[in-house]
Amino acid sequence: MIPLKVTFRFGSPVMTDSEHPIHLDALIASSAVVEAEIGGETDPWAVADDLSDYLDKAVHENGWVWKASALRFEPETEAMDGLFVAFNMVRRSD
């Protein structure tokens, strides 16, 4: 197995402390769709249906899932004492 390093930049802020983690397969699918749109594909979303060029499959109780890890974020800097520290807040509604 060859290690894979993926570097990406989000276009907007991301909740890093959430009960719903971001998974690598979702990021790869999103990137594949954007690349297909740029390439002029007539149905770019269909490109995300098959990620087998990037990921392997694992057997799951309901069929299969992509073998992809959830992202773990590591801050580039530590919080400084006395300064405002941002944290995630979620307001749910029906």
Side-chain angles (χ1 to χ4, degrees):
M1 180 175 186
I2 300 170
L4 173 67
K5 178 180 179 180
V6 178
T7 304
F8 54 89
R9 181 173 291 163
F10 289 103
S12 62
V14 176
M15 284 185 52
T16 59
D17 184 20
S18 171
E19 62 205 36
H20 305 289
I22 298 173
H23 291 269
L24 181 60
D25 57 335
L27 291 173
I28 291 174
S30 173
S31 297
V33 169
V34 170
E35 188 174 283
E37 286 175 335
I38 292 170
E41 286 281 337
T42 55
D43 186 11
W45 286 97
V47 173
D49 290 339
D50 183 15
L51 303 177
S52 58
D53 288 345
Y54 311 101
L55 301 169
D56 198 7
K57 293 179 181 178
V59 177
H60 187 265
E61 61 190 31
N62 296 328
W64 60 269
V65 295
W66 293 114
K67 288 185 180 178
S69 301
L71 296 179
R72 288 182 31 184
F73 293 92
E74 296 178 11
E76 291 184 356
T77 60
E78 292 188 27
M80 296 180 226
D81 291 333
L83 296 178
F84 173 76
V85 177
F87 57 93
N88 299 324
M89 296 177 61
V90 177
R91 179 180 297 172
R92 302 197 189 282
S93 64
D94 293 335

